[in-house]
Amino acid sequence: MKNHETVFSKGYGLSDIENNHMMQPERTIMEWGSISKLFVWVAAMQMVEQAELDLNEDIQTYLPDDFLTKLSYDEPITMLHLMNHNSGFEENIFDLGFASADRVTSLEQGLQLAEPHQVYKPGQVVAYSNYSTSLAAYIIERITDEPFYEYVQKNILEPLNMKQTIIHPTFNGQENLLENKAKGYVLSSPEHFVESDWYYMSMYPSGGVNGTAEDLSIFANALLSKEGEISPLFTKEETLETLLSQSYSANEHVSGIAHGLWEYAGDSRGVTHGGNTTSFSSNLHLVPEEEFAVIVLTNQAGEMDINYGLTALLVGESEPQAAVEDLPNTEELEGSFLAARRPHHSFISLYFFLMPYQVKPIQENEIEINYAGFTANYVQTSPYVYEMSHGDTIFYPMKQLSFQVENGKVQQISTSISDYLPLPAGKTTPILNAYMVLAIVCVLYFLVAPLILVIKAIINKMKKRRSSQISIWHAVLVVCGTATLVNIIVLVIRMLSSYDRAYAEVAPQILLNGFFSVIALLSMAFMAWRWPKSRLLIIQKITYSITISMTVLLITLLLIWGFYG
């Protein structure tokens, strides 16, 4: 789009492989994913215009008493913190999205069910948060005294005549749009796509909007102001200007956040937002001063090259140039870091430690970033500020990095989307390596020990030997350890097959871990009680001691990595 006119609109490929339905920008309904968040921020600015909302007011003012129960800091959270994704909430992947519409609850219930812990002080760390956005939408519900989807329908979709867009999480009242909804796919191997589930959300303001590409272009047009004209979304010209202006940046030399949109350093300043669901991915990019926009909607999970690579070519990007002045040594930046956007109180946290964000000096003023097997090179353009020179498209949303360094150590790496932090105390690289070795030893023991018990039982039966009570409890201890490992393996497989799960789906397995551990502790207590009264051979004492040690180690590892809740 240029100067408020669509200059190119085209569908490629299939919206339904099985039935050979072609993509049609004016007709095919797609999941917009997190582009949906822009409706929340537009609604919030509409509330500001009406003096119903103060972006700097404590959000507790607008919420029911004791609505948030897991806050850790006295500092207030404001709407601006929610917009900037620096309210301090940890990531919680459970109960966000479902494969079935019948799992959807009200927005209020969804927020209460999926409430995360606050793990950072408000304003200090950017950690992209679906919960924050949905909480902002709930505040708008409280102000307007109507469901958020009804507010958006009346105050955004209808005024813009967006008839092919639905924000209701289950399409209620507009089921006819389902007839034109594309099927979503996951690329399983080159040229081979597997159909995936549609995405339903109780916290739908974060990513539940469905619509056509051409409807999204109408919305984009309303966010590109014409000189001297007021956007149809607002009553004041300055409201749109405020929405698109910078609201947070970690460094004056890097792009930041514009009230919920990400700033983009191209040939001209851009603001952008992408979206991903189980099987759809998208990108909306605005260049306000050029009255230019690019919209890409795909029915492929995790697509990056078109969404970001093509968009970058269209909006233009400048080549980073190292500054002439003396710049800090890149050697002090080397290390492993974790995304601030991660769970802290769940076994899912282990996943992030297995894929650290690694910084490696390459040469003077140049570093290499390695993350999840992808790499990119960055050039230092001003003190502790780096711009991407080349690399995988996965890094396109974070083309600029700002390092906060104190006493020669990196304290924080900031990007406009999410910050990265040093490995926490107690989980540094040497300690993590030690945990890995201990875990491997533990797993091997509880895989081999049951086989030895079976062989021993067969021999005892052949020789007609009776098992002692302490040996029976030892066998129970081994079985509990092995059963726990099997339970965890099944849990991991289930999570890898589909991360969009309700906590209720995994809770039985979490409880099983606790059950097996309680039985194991009782077994160890009984063995300790019987030990002095039993005439044990040296080999038995060694075997029992090893099993007890391995069980204690297993329980300790489960506690450390959150496998009990």
Side-chain angles (χ1 to χ4, degrees):
M1 298 158 54
K2 176 67 176 173
N3 298 330
H4 296 269
E5 293 184 1
T6 299
V7 296
F8 184 80
S9 176
K10 187 175 176 63
Y12 294 85
L14 302 173
S15 64
D16 182 339
I17 294 175
E18 182 181 0
N19 295 301
N20 201 41
H21 291 167
M22 304 299 293
M23 278 289 179
Q24 302 177 66
E26 75 288 349
R27 177 180 172 85
T28 305
I29 302 293
M30 308 277 272
E31 293 179 2
W32 294 358
S34 288
I35 290 177
S36 310
K37 292 178 171 66
L38 303 189
F39 289 88
V40 179
W41 310 134
V42 166
M45 295 308 297
Q46 290 177 338
M47 294 293 97
V48 170
E49 270 194 337
Q50 299 169 30
E52 296 284 351
L53 176 66
D54 183 342
L55 297 183
N56 295 299
E57 179 66 58
D58 187 342
I59 60 171
Q60 301 276 29
T61 305
Y62 306 103
L63 294 171
D65 292 340
D66 301 320
F67 185 82
L68 297 175
T69 62
K70 299 179 181 179
L71 298 180
S72 304
Y73 297 93
D74 294 330
E75 286 81 355
I77 298 173
T78 67
M79 179 63 74
L80 201 56
H81 287 137
L82 299 182
M83 286 177 151
N84 294 334
H85 294 271
N86 59 6
S87 52
F89 292 120
E90 69 175 327
E91 177 78 338
N92 181 11
I93 70 168
F94 293 111
D95 299 297
L96 174 63
F98 311 106
S100 172
D102 58 15
R103 305 291 299 268
V104 174
T105 64
S106 69
L107 176 57
E108 180 180 15
Q109 291 172 315
L111 287 165
Q112 291 175 320
L113 183 64
E115 182 186 356
H117 291 267
Q118 187 187 36
V119 294
Y120 309 114
K121 188 178 291 187
Q124 288 194 348
V125 176
V126 174
Y128 185 83
S129 173
N130 288 298
Y131 188 86
S132 291
T133 308
S134 295
L135 183 62
Y138 177 63
I139 289 172
I140 293 167
E141 278 196 353
R142 297 272 299 171
I143 294 172
T144 61
D145 199 29
E146 63 181 327
F148 182 70
Y149 58 82
E150 287 187 4
Y151 176 86
V152 170
Q153 183 67 36
K154 290 190 297 184
N155 294 278
I156 299 178
L157 300 182
E158 289 180 5
L160 295 181
N161 199 30
M162 295 171 63
K163 296 181 179 180
Q164 302 296 310
T165 301
I166 176 69
I167 190 172
H168 191 280
T170 62
F171 279 68
N172 184 40
Q174 290 180 268
E175 289 83 359
N176 60 302
L177 294 181
L178 283 169
E179 298 175 6
N180 298 324
K181 183 170 178 179
K183 292 182 178 179
Y185 298 90
V186 174
L187 182 66
S188 62
S189 61
E191 300 183 16
H192 185 237
F193 294 88
V194 177
E195 184 178 341
S196 186
D197 296 315
W198 285 343
Y199 199 65
Y200 299 94
M201 303 177 68
S202 299
M203 295 194 293
Y204 63 91
S206 288
V209 173
N210 288 258
T212 64
E214 293 205 351
D215 256 20
L216 185 52
S217 74
I218 298 173
F219 181 67
N221 250 325
L223 296 177
L224 293 173
S225 60
K226 286 184 178 180
E227 187 70 31
E229 292 188 12
I230 298 175
S231 166
L233 293 170
F234 304 111
T235 58
K236 302 175 183 177
E237 189 175 352
E238 58 265 29
T239 305
L240 179 59
E241 293 175 1
T242 300
L243 173 64
L244 300 182
S245 68
Q246 186 181 91
S247 55
Y248 174 86
S249 178
N251 187 300
E252 62 178 341
H253 298 292
V254 298
S255 300
I257 301 170
H259 299 87
L261 290 94
W262 313 118
E263 290 187 310
Y264 182 91
D267 285 345
S268 299
R269 174 184 178 269
V271 288
T272 181
H273 210 296
N276 288 279
T277 63
T278 305
S279 48
F280 291 78
S281 53
S282 56
N283 193 22
L284 168 64
H285 194 114
L286 308 174
V287 186
E289 66 183 69
E290 301 288 342
E291 294 185 24
F292 182 71
V294 179
I295 294 166
V296 182
L297 302 179
T298 80
N299 60 336
Q300 177 184 332
E303 201 293 313
M304 297 291 290
D305 292 318
I306 299 173
N307 276 315
Y308 292 98
L310 174 61
T311 299
L313 291 174
L314 292 171
V315 301
E317 51 185 342
S318 56
E319 290 293 326
Q321 299 293 326
V324 179
E325 66 209 71
D326 290 334
L327 296 173
N329 194 323
T330 58
E331 298 291 333
E332 61 184 342
L333 306 182
E334 185 169 13
S336 297
F337 304 86
L338 293 178
R341 182 194 180 186
R342 62 184 176 87
H344 287 241
H345 297 82
S346 163
F347 65 91
I348 302 296
S349 65
L350 177 59
Y351 172 82
F352 291 83
F353 282 90
L354 296 175
M355 292 199 310
Y357 187 86
Q358 296 176 313
V359 180
K360 177 184 176 183
I362 298 297
Q363 56 188 0
E364 185 180 8
N365 296 327
E366 187 175 3
I367 59 174
E368 179 186 86
I369 304 295
N370 188 297
Y371 182 68
F374 299 96
T375 61
N377 284 35
Y378 287 76
V379 174
Q380 188 171 198
T381 55
S382 60
Y384 298 117
V385 172
Y386 286 76
E387 294 192 21
M388 180 177 168
S389 58
H390 61 275
D392 292 296
T393 50
I394 190 175
F395 295 98
Y396 268 55
M398 42 187 173
K399 297 192 72 173
Q400 294 179 312
L401 306 177
S402 174
F403 289 80
Q404 179 183 327
V405 180
E406 295 179 8
N407 300 320
K409 292 186 178 181
V410 177
Q411 304 298 316
Q412 191 166 325
I413 305 173
S414 296
T415 77
S416 59
I417 291 181
S418 179
D419 291 350
Y420 293 83
L421 305 172
L423 296 175
K427 291 180 180 176
T428 56
T429 300
I431 295 176
L432 290 174
N433 290 335
Y435 282 148
M436 182 176 295
V437 172
L438 292 173
I440 291 172
V441 171
C442 196
V443 168
L444 290 176
Y445 183 81
F446 282 112
L447 291 178
V448 173
L451 299 177
I452 296 175
L453 283 181
V454 170
I455 294 172
K456 184 179 177 182
I458 293 173
I459 293 173
N460 286 343
K461 186 174 183 181
M462 291 174 62
K463 294 186 176 183
K464 298 181 179 180
R465 294 175 183 166
R466 293 184 63 185
S467 300
S468 65
Q469 286 186 336
I470 193 169
S471 66
I472 291 173
W473 282 105
H474 172 254
V476 172
L477 194 58
V478 170
V479 169
C480 284
T482 303
T484 301
L485 285 180
V486 171
N487 185 51
I488 291 172
I489 291 170
V490 172
L491 177 60
V492 170
I493 292 173
R494 290 183 67 208
M495 291 304 301
L496 289 175
S497 65
S498 175
Y499 63 86
D500 297 315
R501 293 187 180 276
Y503 184 75
E505 294 182 68
V506 302
Q509 289 184 265
I510 298 296
L511 291 174
L512 268 180
N513 286 337
F515 172 77
F516 290 138
S517 295
V518 168
I519 299 299
L521 291 171
L522 291 174
S523 300
M524 286 190 288
F526 189 84
M527 289 176 69
W529 175 61
R530 293 293 301 175
W531 193 293
K533 303 175 184 179
S534 304
R535 297 179 178 178
L536 300 176
L537 300 174
I538 293 178
I539 187 65
Q540 288 177 311
K541 291 180 180 180
I542 293 174
T543 301
Y544 295 167
S545 297
I546 292 175
T547 301
I548 291 172
S549 299
M550 288 296 105
T551 303
V552 171
L553 174 60
L554 177 60
I555 291 174
T556 302
L557 290 173
L558 294 179
L559 281 170
I560 290 171
W561 295 107
F563 279 91
Y564 288 115

